[in-house]
Amino acid sequence: GHPQLAQAIVLPHLDLISNTSLMSVQKGRPAEELIPFLDLCSALAGSVGDSLFTSRQLAPLSQLCVAALGSTEHEVLKPALVFLQRLLTSRAAQLSSTDVAALAQQVLGRFHQWPRSMSGQIFKVFSAMAERHEQIYLSTVAAAGSAGSTAPCMASLSAADRQLAQQALAR
């Protein structure tokens, strides 16, 4: 890592790449084709974090990482989740409650489909939401766990397990 070099050379051109990548995924191209770019986003989030999280590139990068959550491939999910975790824990990022709630809904709606190898990273994302955005996260989780919820993570449970989850979330 050379954060200053990344900041000077990569960040100014990242918007073109991120917008093109996002459009590609939105048009149905597989997220697997973007693994190198997702790896770059993850690395940049770790090395130049605050500069990245306050830049104009944040919106398309976040949207791209959220779109990547639709994958079940470890190589796609890992860098996307690392980026989102760092975004959620950044003090510089100006995330609205709507942004955090939408992100929480996306993760809650999909995590049960991801490979077990992602459990550590999933835990880190949930922890980041709970630690930095507690009220929004808890209300999103409570809504997903409420009676009559159609949240995929709840719908896939047996009736007995769903009842246990609802009781636990009601506490």
Side-chain angles (χ1 to χ4, degrees):
H2 298 285
Q4 295 82 8
L5 191 61
Q7 212 164 346
I9 296 174
V10 178
L11 283 184
H13 304 288
L14 200 56
D15 57 339
L16 176 64
I17 302 167
S18 59
N19 285 323
T20 303
S21 300
L22 179 59
M23 286 190 322
S24 173
V25 170
Q26 289 173 336
K27 289 181 180 178
R29 302 285 304 187
E32 289 77 11
E33 293 178 4
L34 299 175
I35 292 171
F37 184 64
L38 291 168
D39 285 339
L40 173 65
C41 293
S42 175
L44 286 171
S47 63
V48 299
D50 288 348
S51 297
L52 180 63
F53 297 140
T54 58
S55 73
R56 67 180 186 264
Q57 292 92 348
L58 180 59
L61 289 175
S62 298
Q63 292 170 357
L64 180 64
C65 287
V66 168
L69 299 180
S71 177
T72 56
E73 298 296 322
H74 182 275
E75 295 79 17
V76 174
L77 291 166
K78 175 79 176 188
L81 288 169
V82 167
F83 177 89
L84 293 171
Q85 175 204 349
R86 289 182 175 146
L87 171 62
L88 286 162
T89 57
S90 171
R91 298 205 186 278
Q94 298 296 313
L95 295 175
S96 70
S97 57
T98 305
D99 293 336
V100 175
L103 181 55
Q105 289 169 350
Q106 290 295 321
V107 174
L108 282 168
R110 295 182 169 151
F111 80 95
H112 64 286
Q113 299 169 334
W114 297 336
R116 287 188 183 265
S117 61
M118 296 308 307
S119 61
Q121 196 58 50
I122 295 166
F123 175 78
K124 290 177 184 177
V125 170
F126 282 140
S127 295
M129 283 188 239
E131 290 171 16
R132 297 279 295 133
H133 309 279
E134 182 179 12
Q135 292 302 88
I136 300 163
Y137 173 66
L138 290 177
S139 65
T140 303
V141 169
S146 66
S149 170
T150 58
C153 60
M154 295 297 283
S156 63
L157 297 174
S158 69
D161 287 344
R162 190 171 26 254
Q163 185 177 7
L164 284 173
Q166 288 167 345
Q167 290 170 351
L169 291 170
R171 292 183 199 163

mmCIF file of all heavy atoms in Angstrom, residues 74 77-78 81-82 85 107 111 114-129 131:
data_model
loop_
_atom_site.group_PDB
_atom_site.id
_atom_site.type_symbol
_atom_site.label_atom_id
_atom_site.label_comp_id
_atom_site.label_asym_id
_atom_site.label_seq_id
_atom_site.Cartn_x
_atom_site.Cartn_y
_atom_site.Cartn_z
ATOM 1 N N HIS A 74 -18.304 -16.836 -3.560
ATOM 2 C CA HIS A 74 -17.422 -16.306 -2.525
ATOM 3 C C HIS A 74 -16.542 -15.183 -3.063
ATOM 4 O O HIS A 74 -16.377 -14.144 -2.411
ATOM 5 C CB HIS A 74 -16.554 -17.444 -1.975
ATOM 6 C CG HIS A 74 -15.636 -17.033 -0.879
ATOM 7 N ND1 HIS A 74 -14.397 -16.487 -1.106
ATOM 8 C CD2 HIS A 74 -15.782 -17.063 0.463
ATOM 9 C CE1 HIS A 74 -13.808 -16.210 0.034
ATOM 10 N NE2 HIS A 74 -14.629 -16.553 1.007
ATOM 11 N N LEU A 77 -18.720 -12.047 -3.351
ATOM 12 C CA LEU A 77 -19.273 -11.576 -2.084
ATOM 13 C C LEU A 77 -18.217 -11.000 -1.145
ATOM 14 O O LEU A 77 -18.452 -9.982 -0.493
ATOM 15 C CB LEU A 77 -20.019 -12.713 -1.385
ATOM 16 C CG LEU A 77 -21.303 -13.154 -2.069
ATOM 17 C CD1 LEU A 77 -21.777 -14.485 -1.507
ATOM 18 C CD2 LEU A 77 -22.368 -12.085 -1.931
ATOM 19 N N LYS A 78 -17.079 -11.647 -1.052
ATOM 20 C CA LYS A 78 -16.046 -11.226 -0.095
ATOM 21 C C LYS A 78 -15.651 -9.759 -0.267
ATOM 22 O O LYS A 78 -15.753 -8.977 0.682
ATOM 23 C CB LYS A 78 -14.831 -12.157 -0.202
ATOM 24 C CG LYS A 78 -13.650 -11.758 0.641
ATOM 25 C CD LYS A 78 -13.808 -12.133 2.074
ATOM 26 C CE LYS A 78 -12.523 -11.782 2.833
ATOM 27 N NZ LYS A 78 -12.509 -12.261 4.154
ATOM 28 N N LEU A 81 -18.675 -7.380 0.495
ATOM 29 C CA LEU A 81 -18.991 -7.285 1.923
ATOM 30 C C LEU A 81 -17.918 -6.531 2.697
ATOM 31 O O LEU A 81 -18.233 -5.782 3.627
ATOM 32 C CB LEU A 81 -19.222 -8.675 2.511
ATOM 33 C CG LEU A 81 -20.524 -9.349 2.081
ATOM 34 C CD1 LEU A 81 -20.540 -10.821 2.495
ATOM 35 C CD2 LEU A 81 -21.733 -8.617 2.631
ATOM 36 N N VAL A 82 -16.668 -6.707 2.329
ATOM 37 C CA VAL A 82 -15.589 -5.957 2.987
ATOM 38 C C VAL A 82 -15.776 -4.460 2.734
ATOM 39 O O VAL A 82 -15.673 -3.638 3.651
ATOM 40 C CB VAL A 82 -14.191 -6.432 2.515
ATOM 41 C CG1 VAL A 82 -13.098 -5.463 2.937
ATOM 42 C CG2 VAL A 82 -13.899 -7.833 3.044
ATOM 43 N N GLN A 85 -18.771 -3.284 4.778
ATOM 44 C CA GLN A 85 -18.430 -3.243 6.204
ATOM 45 C C GLN A 85 -17.625 -1.975 6.520
ATOM 46 O O GLN A 85 -17.908 -1.276 7.492
ATOM 47 C CB GLN A 85 -17.636 -4.480 6.595
ATOM 48 C CG GLN A 85 -17.138 -4.437 8.024
ATOM 49 C CD GLN A 85 -15.909 -5.302 8.262
ATOM 50 O OE1 GLN A 85 -15.536 -6.102 7.416
ATOM 51 N NE2 GLN A 85 -15.280 -5.121 9.398
ATOM 52 N N VAL A 107 -28.934 -7.122 2.827
ATOM 53 C CA VAL A 107 -28.134 -8.170 3.471
ATOM 54 C C VAL A 107 -29.057 -9.203 4.131
ATOM 55 O O VAL A 107 -28.867 -10.415 3.959
ATOM 56 C CB VAL A 107 -27.138 -7.563 4.491
ATOM 57 C CG1 VAL A 107 -26.416 -8.661 5.259
ATOM 58 C CG2 VAL A 107 -26.129 -6.673 3.769
ATOM 59 N N PHE A 111 -28.498 -13.053 2.881
ATOM 60 C CA PHE A 111 -27.377 -13.737 3.547
ATOM 61 C C PHE A 111 -27.596 -15.238 3.695
ATOM 62 O O PHE A 111 -26.641 -16.008 3.703
ATOM 63 C CB PHE A 111 -27.067 -13.100 4.914
ATOM 64 C CG PHE A 111 -27.981 -13.533 6.030
ATOM 65 C CD1 PHE A 111 -27.619 -14.566 6.863
ATOM 66 C CD2 PHE A 111 -29.198 -12.910 6.237
ATOM 67 C CE1 PHE A 111 -28.451 -14.979 7.890
ATOM 68 C CE2 PHE A 111 -30.038 -13.304 7.252
ATOM 69 C CZ PHE A 111 -29.674 -14.346 8.085
ATOM 70 N N TRP A 114 -26.023 -17.341 0.901
ATOM 71 C CA TRP A 114 -24.591 -17.276 0.660
ATOM 72 C C TRP A 114 -23.884 -18.493 1.242
ATOM 73 O O TRP A 114 -24.354 -19.118 2.187
ATOM 74 C CB TRP A 114 -24.017 -16.005 1.267
ATOM 75 C CG TRP A 114 -24.573 -14.749 0.639
ATOM 76 C CD1 TRP A 114 -25.121 -14.618 -0.607
ATOM 77 C CD2 TRP A 114 -24.642 -13.459 1.229
ATOM 78 N NE1 TRP A 114 -25.518 -13.326 -0.816
ATOM 79 C CE2 TRP A 114 -25.238 -12.586 0.292
ATOM 80 C CE3 TRP A 114 -24.258 -12.950 2.462
ATOM 81 C CZ2 TRP A 114 -25.451 -11.245 0.547
ATOM 82 C CZ3 TRP A 114 -24.475 -11.601 2.722
ATOM 83 C CH2 TRP A 114 -25.052 -10.765 1.766
ATOM 84 N N PRO A 115 -22.710 -18.821 0.686
ATOM 85 C CA PRO A 115 -21.967 -19.989 1.185
ATOM 86 C C PRO A 115 -21.537 -19.816 2.641
ATOM 87 O O PRO A 115 -21.327 -18.695 3.119
ATOM 88 C CB PRO A 115 -20.740 -20.065 0.272
ATOM 89 C CG PRO A 115 -20.778 -18.899 -0.630
ATOM 90 C CD PRO A 115 -22.024 -18.124 -0.393
ATOM 91 N N ARG A 116 -21.411 -20.935 3.330
ATOM 92 C CA ARG A 116 -20.983 -20.913 4.734
ATOM 93 C C ARG A 116 -19.626 -20.239 4.910
ATOM 94 O O ARG A 116 -19.343 -19.679 5.956
ATOM 95 C CB ARG A 116 -20.921 -22.323 5.295
ATOM 96 C CG ARG A 116 -22.267 -22.924 5.547
ATOM 97 C CD ARG A 116 -22.106 -24.247 6.296
ATOM 98 N NE ARG A 116 -23.373 -24.886 6.485
ATOM 99 C CZ ARG A 116 -24.106 -24.757 7.584
ATOM 100 N NH1 ARG A 116 -23.672 -24.020 8.570
ATOM 101 N NH2 ARG A 116 -25.269 -25.362 7.688
ATOM 102 N N SER A 117 -18.805 -20.299 3.875
ATOM 103 C CA SER A 117 -17.479 -19.676 3.965
ATOM 104 C C SER A 117 -17.570 -18.163 4.163
ATOM 105 O O SER A 117 -16.594 -17.528 4.547
ATOM 106 C CB SER A 117 -16.664 -19.981 2.707
ATOM 107 O OG SER A 117 -17.311 -19.455 1.551
ATOM 108 N N MET A 118 -18.747 -17.596 3.958
ATOM 109 C CA MET A 118 -18.932 -16.154 4.119
ATOM 110 C C MET A 118 -19.401 -15.775 5.517
ATOM 111 O O MET A 118 -19.561 -14.599 5.822
ATOM 112 C CB MET A 118 -19.951 -15.634 3.092
ATOM 113 C CG MET A 118 -19.516 -15.773 1.649
ATOM 114 S SD MET A 118 -17.881 -15.073 1.310
ATOM 115 C CE MET A 118 -18.049 -13.440 1.940
ATOM 116 N N SER A 119 -19.615 -16.753 6.392
ATOM 117 C CA SER A 119 -20.218 -16.465 7.694
ATOM 118 C C SER A 119 -19.419 -15.449 8.515
ATOM 119 O O SER A 119 -20.003 -14.594 9.183
ATOM 120 C CB SER A 119 -20.448 -17.749 8.488
ATOM 121 O OG SER A 119 -19.234 -18.413 8.723
ATOM 122 N N GLY A 120 -18.111 -15.510 8.479
ATOM 123 C CA GLY A 120 -17.293 -14.543 9.220
ATOM 124 C C GLY A 120 -17.490 -13.129 8.707
ATOM 125 O O GLY A 120 -17.628 -12.184 9.493
ATOM 126 N N GLN A 121 -17.516 -12.973 7.391
ATOM 127 C CA GLN A 121 -17.696 -11.644 6.812
ATOM 128 C C GLN A 121 -19.128 -11.144 7.023
ATOM 129 O O GLN A 121 -19.351 -9.959 7.261
ATOM 130 C CB GLN A 121 -17.339 -11.655 5.319
ATOM 131 C CG GLN A 121 -17.131 -10.281 4.757
ATOM 132 C CD GLN A 121 -16.032 -9.511 5.488
ATOM 133 O OE1 GLN A 121 -14.921 -10.000 5.691
ATOM 134 N NE2 GLN A 121 -16.340 -8.301 5.917
ATOM 135 N N ILE A 122 -20.094 -12.038 6.956
ATOM 136 C CA ILE A 122 -21.488 -11.663 7.222
ATOM 137 C C ILE A 122 -21.604 -11.150 8.652
ATOM 138 O O ILE A 122 -22.240 -10.119 8.903
ATOM 139 C CB ILE A 122 -22.434 -12.858 6.986
ATOM 140 C CG1 ILE A 122 -22.430 -13.273 5.513
ATOM 141 C CG2 ILE A 122 -23.848 -12.527 7.439
ATOM 142 C CD1 ILE A 122 -23.072 -14.630 5.247
ATOM 143 N N PHE A 123 -20.986 -11.865 9.585
ATOM 144 C CA PHE A 123 -21.001 -11.442 10.987
ATOM 145 C C PHE A 123 -20.418 -10.035 11.136
ATOM 146 O O PHE A 123 -20.954 -9.199 11.865
ATOM 147 C CB PHE A 123 -20.225 -12.442 11.847
ATOM 148 C CG PHE A 123 -20.090 -12.002 13.273
ATOM 149 C CD1 PHE A 123 -21.153 -12.142 14.160
ATOM 150 C CD2 PHE A 123 -18.911 -11.446 13.729
ATOM 151 C CE1 PHE A 123 -21.042 -11.714 15.479
ATOM 152 C CE2 PHE A 123 -18.779 -11.024 15.038
ATOM 153 C CZ PHE A 123 -19.849 -11.158 15.926
ATOM 154 N N LYS A 124 -19.324 -9.761 10.425
ATOM 155 C CA LYS A 124 -18.692 -8.446 10.514
ATOM 156 C C LYS A 124 -19.603 -7.342 9.985
ATOM 157 O O LYS A 124 -19.651 -6.243 10.545
ATOM 158 C CB LYS A 124 -17.362 -8.442 9.760
ATOM 159 C CG LYS A 124 -16.281 -9.262 10.435
ATOM 160 C CD LYS A 124 -15.021 -9.284 9.603
ATOM 161 C CE LYS A 124 -13.966 -10.184 10.236
ATOM 162 N NZ LYS A 124 -12.765 -10.274 9.403
ATOM 163 N N VAL A 125 -20.341 -7.625 8.913
ATOM 164 C CA VAL A 125 -21.264 -6.625 8.362
ATOM 165 C C VAL A 125 -22.424 -6.393 9.338
ATOM 166 O O VAL A 125 -22.787 -5.252 9.618
ATOM 167 C CB VAL A 125 -21.773 -7.038 6.966
ATOM 168 C CG1 VAL A 125 -22.913 -6.147 6.498
ATOM 169 C CG2 VAL A 125 -20.630 -7.008 5.961
ATOM 170 N N PHE A 126 -22.999 -7.481 9.862
ATOM 171 C CA PHE A 126 -24.075 -7.330 10.842
ATOM 172 C C PHE A 126 -23.572 -6.579 12.075
ATOM 173 O O PHE A 126 -24.264 -5.715 12.617
ATOM 174 C CB PHE A 126 -24.650 -8.690 11.252
ATOM 175 C CG PHE A 126 -25.598 -9.285 10.244
ATOM 176 C CD1 PHE A 126 -25.557 -10.641 9.980
ATOM 177 C CD2 PHE A 126 -26.548 -8.521 9.589
ATOM 178 C CE1 PHE A 126 -26.444 -11.209 9.062
ATOM 179 C CE2 PHE A 126 -27.432 -9.074 8.676
ATOM 180 C CZ PHE A 126 -27.382 -10.420 8.412
ATOM 181 N N SER A 127 -22.375 -6.893 12.522
ATOM 182 C CA SER A 127 -21.795 -6.208 13.688
ATOM 183 C C SER A 127 -21.591 -4.726 13.411
ATOM 184 O O SER A 127 -21.865 -3.883 14.278
ATOM 185 C CB SER A 127 -20.467 -6.846 14.082
ATOM 186 O OG SER A 127 -20.661 -8.162 14.524
ATOM 187 N N ALA A 128 -21.108 -4.394 12.210
ATOM 188 C CA ALA A 128 -20.906 -2.986 11.850
ATOM 189 C C ALA A 128 -22.235 -2.240 11.871
ATOM 190 O O ALA A 128 -22.321 -1.112 12.367
ATOM 191 C CB ALA A 128 -20.258 -2.884 10.468
ATOM 192 N N MET A 129 -23.274 -2.874 11.356
ATOM 193 C CA MET A 129 -24.594 -2.235 11.374
ATOM 194 C C MET A 129 -25.079 -2.050 12.809
ATOM 195 O O MET A 129 -25.594 -0.988 13.168
ATOM 196 C CB MET A 129 -25.609 -3.074 10.592
ATOM 197 C CG MET A 129 -25.480 -2.947 9.102
ATOM 198 S SD MET A 129 -26.865 -3.773 8.287
ATOM 199 C CE MET A 129 -25.995 -4.962 7.308
ATOM 200 N N GLU A 131 -23.322 -1.894 15.598
ATOM 201 C CA GLU A 131 -22.492 -0.991 16.388
ATOM 202 C C GLU A 131 -22.628 0.472 15.975
ATOM 203 O O GLU A 131 -22.700 1.356 16.819
ATOM 204 C CB GLU A 131 -21.024 -1.407 16.290
ATOM 205 C CG GLU A 131 -20.728 -2.701 17.012
ATOM 206 C CD GLU A 131 -19.324 -3.228 16.734
ATOM 207 O OE1 GLU A 131 -18.470 -2.466 16.234
ATOM 208 O OE2 GLU A 131 -19.090 -4.416 17.009
#
